[in-house]
Amino acid sequence: MHELETHPCFTARCSDYARIHLPVAPKCNIQCNYCLRKYSCVNESRPGVVARVMEPEAAAEWYFEMKAKVPKLTVAGIAGPGDALANWPAVSKTLALIRKADKDVFFCLSTNGLYLPRYAKEIAELGVDYVTVTVNALTSNTGAHIYSFVNDAGKKYVGQEAAELLLNRQLEGLQLLGSYGVKVKINTVAIPGVNMEEIPAIARRMAVLGCKLHNILPMLPVEGTAFAHLAEPEAQKIAALREVCQQWMPQMRHCRRCRADAVGTLAADRCDEEQ
């Protein structure tokens, strides 16, 4: 079977295939105004939430344990609870440990893209098949409303300067991933009154860069974040956005907004019972 048909995030047709998210990436290099990373939280299911953060050796051991228990486990991903590339030593070590004993598993990573230019070549050389990049804005003005700050090599950027730095790195990194043959999914968090009118332009630009799939995620208001006061966008507005953006890129409509320690199929997550 073609590999895209065994990755449950890239096509809804493979709903009986499973994935595992290995929570080895606690640090993040940006602060999004909708994001709150929580640990030891078992009552929430959303990105940034984990029961515990693992060291690479423990994560690899957990992967092989789950491989023996979960049917059709085809994908090992690292999706936080922070940013995969802000934790690259731990992430690369985890994947290398798994690859030594499993030559067939597909690897995927999720990142905000700030460090993509730095690590794109290593990502490809390590055999990462898929990368998800969260792109929420195409203008520095919009980005300035979404990102509280960007931390690059110990220097803190804010406002439009932060947003411009992040966008430039994302665009450069996506071009590099394309040149290395890595398949890319774009996540865009739809934030009412902030970026929703810009999302079609994001889809057009990402399609030009060769990205394979677009996942428009309605923002979830989370207590303790700067956007906690905003309402989740209405389902019909998200559906309309997807229809518009479909003309440039295939749209993901089956996302479950998984935890950073998810395991199992999208419809039957087993993280609670397996940790």
Side-chain angles (χ1 to χ4, degrees), residues 40 94 104 106 138 140 145 163 168 209 240 251 255:
S40 301
T94 301
D104 298 322
F106 295 117
L138 272 189
S140 57
H145 289 88
N168 288 339
L209 290 168
Q251 295 293 302
C255 180

Side-chain angles (χ1 to χ4, degrees), residues 19 32 36 43 82 85 112 133 206 212 226 275:
R19 84 295 186 231
C32 302
L36 180 65
N43 297 317
L85 301 188
N112 56 49
V133 183
M206 298 301 104
K212 303 296 185 184
Q275 292 195 61

Side-chain angles (χ1 to χ4, degrees), residues 178-252:
S179 71
Y180 294 131
V182 179
K183 301 164 200 65
V184 176
K185 173 169 69 73
I186 298 298
N187 279 0
T188 300
V189 179
I191 309 164
V194 179
N195 72 337
M196 289 180 65
E197 292 186 358
E198 201 163 295
I199 291 176
I202 293 173
R204 288 196 299 270
R205 186 67 176 274
M206 298 301 104
V208 169
L209 290 168
C211 302
K212 303 296 185 184
L213 186 66
H214 193 199
N215 183 21
I216 300 173
L217 295 156
M219 188 206 72
L220 286 176
V222 176
E223 185 177 354
T225 67
F227 285 166
H229 64 287
L230 296 179
E232 181 177 354
E234 298 172 358
Q236 58 266 37
K237 291 184 178 180
I238 297 299
L241 261 179
R242 288 170 177 159
E243 287 305 310
V244 171
C245 294
Q246 179 74 35
Q247 62 188 298
W248 298 293
M249 266 208 296
Q251 295 293 302
M252 182 178 182

Side-chain angles (χ1 to χ4, degrees), residues 15-177:
S15 58
D16 59 336
Y17 284 85
R19 84 295 186 231
I20 185 170
H21 287 172
L22 304 168
V24 297
K27 295 181 293 185
C28 197
N29 43 22
I30 73 174
Q31 179 59 59
C32 302
N33 285 328
Y34 55 78
C35 180
L36 180 65
R37 295 182 300 281
K38 279 184 148 184
Y39 308 115
S40 301
C41 183
V42 297
N43 297 317
E44 292 186 79
S45 182
R46 58 175 174 81
V49 170
V50 294
R52 61 191 174 105
V53 173
M54 297 181 178
E55 295 297 322
E57 293 82 1
E61 182 179 346
W62 186 49
Y63 166 76
F64 288 112
E65 180 185 346
M66 292 300 99
K67 181 74 172 179
K69 296 171 66 174
V70 178
K72 293 187 177 182
L73 181 59
T74 58
V75 178
I78 296 177
D83 185 82
L85 301 188
N87 300 265
W88 184 244
V91 167
S92 58
K93 183 176 182 179
T94 301
L95 298 183
L97 287 170
I98 292 172
R99 184 61 83 201
K100 284 181 181 179
D102 189 338
K103 305 299 182 185
D104 298 322
V105 63
F106 295 117
F107 287 152
C108 66
L109 301 175
S110 294
T111 178
N112 56 49
L114 182 66
Y115 289 164
L116 263 183
R118 181 185 304 179
Y119 293 120
K121 185 176 182 181
E122 290 183 53
I123 287 170
E125 290 176 343
L126 195 57
V128 175
D129 305 276
Y130 309 91
V131 173
T132 294
V133 183
T134 300
V135 180
N136 293 323
L138 272 189
T139 66
S140 57
N141 182 58
T142 299
H145 289 88
I146 298 173
Y147 307 111
S148 175
F149 64 81
V150 169
N151 191 334
D152 183 38
K155 183 177 180 180
K156 187 176 182 178
Y157 298 82
V158 298
Q160 293 194 29
E161 187 179 22
E164 185 174 1
L165 172 64
L166 176 60
L167 177 61
N168 288 339
R169 294 280 184 81
Q170 289 173 334
L171 296 177
E172 181 184 355
L174 288 168
Q175 288 179 319
L176 287 170
L177 289 180

